[in-house]
Amino acid sequence: MGNLESKIAIVTGSGRGIGRDIAIKLAREGAHVVVNDLDSDPAAETIAAIEAVGGKALGCIGNVCDADFGERIVQAAVEAFGGLDIIVNNAGYTWDSVIQKMTDEQWDAMIDVHLKAPFQILRAAQPVISRLVKDAAASGQPVPCRKVVNISSLAGIGGNAGQASYSAAKAGIVGLTKTMAKEWGRYNVTVNAVAFGFIKTRLTETPANGDAAITVEGREIKVGVNPDLFAAMERMIPLNRAGTPAEAAGAVYLLCAPESDYVSAQTLVCGGGLNI
């Protein structure tokens, strides 16, 4: 039995990258996981990986920015597994530009996916959590400690050139985290954030031909870091390397584990010692 045996978790953006590793890590510890991605194939791959280690998972495909998505993913967890114990707001991507070249579309996209979507998911979860707490109290059972982990970034703590919108959204996540910790403490819910540093994912690694892009809602967005810049950034990190998705997932797990039941309103930096 794992530390999260039979806990019910939502992990957005878990078809790929860090989110995939988070979902698999929670499942290895016994959690039942609702997997989300824009596309069905990556979500199916994550579900298959979870089932391969003996876990339980189901997919909730769609854009976290859709107005009804929060209600939809929360309901998926309740209908399939009977409750909700862990929420990891991980979905996101980068769309960079210096401010004089940044469009309103870029600004809105980053705020929507990194800040508004987590807000909407948490808003949708409140009635469910409140009901579960009242049901436990009415039956004389102890109220379990539930967990929210919001994903921020070092860019949200120290800023980053070319990422005004992304940095603003990730800074907002810290404020949302602290506020929700105060609002939901009465439900025995801890609310924390993990601020990632330089992690190797498809958003940071550039292929040999120098062309890297992702497609989001029909928009092709360039991603990746120039290899020379990548190496220079790694040299700035005290551990002298970028992190892996598995290591990033481990930081999230720390705040989901029962050992962190009295830790709330905190931002854990997962950056190999780098502090912008």
Side-chain angles (χ1 to χ4, degrees):
M1 292 180 64
N3 277 334
L4 305 179
E5 192 67 31
S6 299
K7 297 290 186 182
I8 301 156
I10 287 170
V11 184
T12 63
S14 47
R16 304 173 173 91
I18 295 171
R20 171 186 167 91
D21 278 63
I22 293 170
I24 294 171
K25 175 65 176 176
L26 299 185
R28 283 185 180 276
E29 291 296 327
H32 306 332
V33 184
V34 179
V35 173
N36 158 254
D37 197 271
L38 280 169
D39 305 310
S40 58
D41 287 349
E45 291 174 5
T46 298
I47 291 169
I50 288 172
E51 292 174 345
V53 298
K56 294 182 179 180
L58 69 104
C60 183
I61 310 306
N63 190 338
V64 296
C65 298
D66 289 345
D68 67 342
F69 181 83
E71 285 82 4
R72 192 157 64 83
I73 194 167
V74 168
Q75 195 61 31
V78 173
E79 289 181 357
F81 300 126
L84 182 58
D85 300 291
I86 297 169
I87 301 172
V88 181
N89 283 309
N90 166 78
Y93 60 100
T94 55
W95 193 3
D96 298 346
S97 206
V98 290
I99 198 164
Q100 67 270 23
K101 295 182 179 179
M102 184 173 290
T103 65
D104 286 353
E105 183 185 16
Q106 282 178 281
W107 175 271
D108 291 343
M110 292 296 93
I111 298 299
D112 285 350
V113 72
H114 292 289
L115 186 56
K116 186 176 181 181
F119 149 71
Q120 291 178 322
I121 291 168
L122 295 174
R123 181 176 63 185
Q126 190 279 338
V128 171
I129 291 173
S130 176
R131 174 179 57 79
L132 291 170
V133 169
K134 289 176 182 177
D135 289 349
S139 63
Q141 297 176 347
V143 176
C145 183
R146 294 182 167 87
K147 310 279 188 164
V148 174
V149 182
N150 297 317
I151 302 304
S152 185
S153 166
L154 281 180
I157 297 173
N160 196 31
Q163 292 189 319
S165 54
Y166 177 79
S167 297
K170 290 305 192 182
I173 276 291
V174 174
L176 177 64
T177 296
K178 291 180 179 293
T179 298
M180 294 311 302
K182 292 180 177 180
E183 289 192 13
W184 284 9
R186 64 195 177 104
Y187 299 134
N188 199 24
V189 178
T190 68
V191 187
N192 294 288
V194 175
F196 293 137
F198 197 38
I199 308 295
K200 289 183 179 180
T201 70
R202 66 187 181 129
L203 300 182
T204 58
E205 293 187 298
T206 302
N209 62 12
D211 295 324
I214 60 172
T215 301
V216 180
E217 295 291 279
R219 298 179 301 223
E220 187 173 277
I221 297 169
K222 291 183 177 181
V223 296
V225 178
N226 176 281
D228 291 337
L229 179 58
F230 191 107
M233 292 173 69
E234 285 194 303
R235 288 193 293 270
M236 294 171 59
I237 300 169
L239 288 182
N240 204 39
R241 62 177 178 84
T244 66
E247 290 169 327
V252 173
Y253 166 71
L254 290 176
L255 296 174
C256 295
E259 287 82 356
S260 63
D261 281 359
Y262 201 61
V263 177
S264 196
Q266 303 304 305
T267 299
L268 172 65
V269 175
C270 177
L274 181 64
N275 190 7
I276 297 176

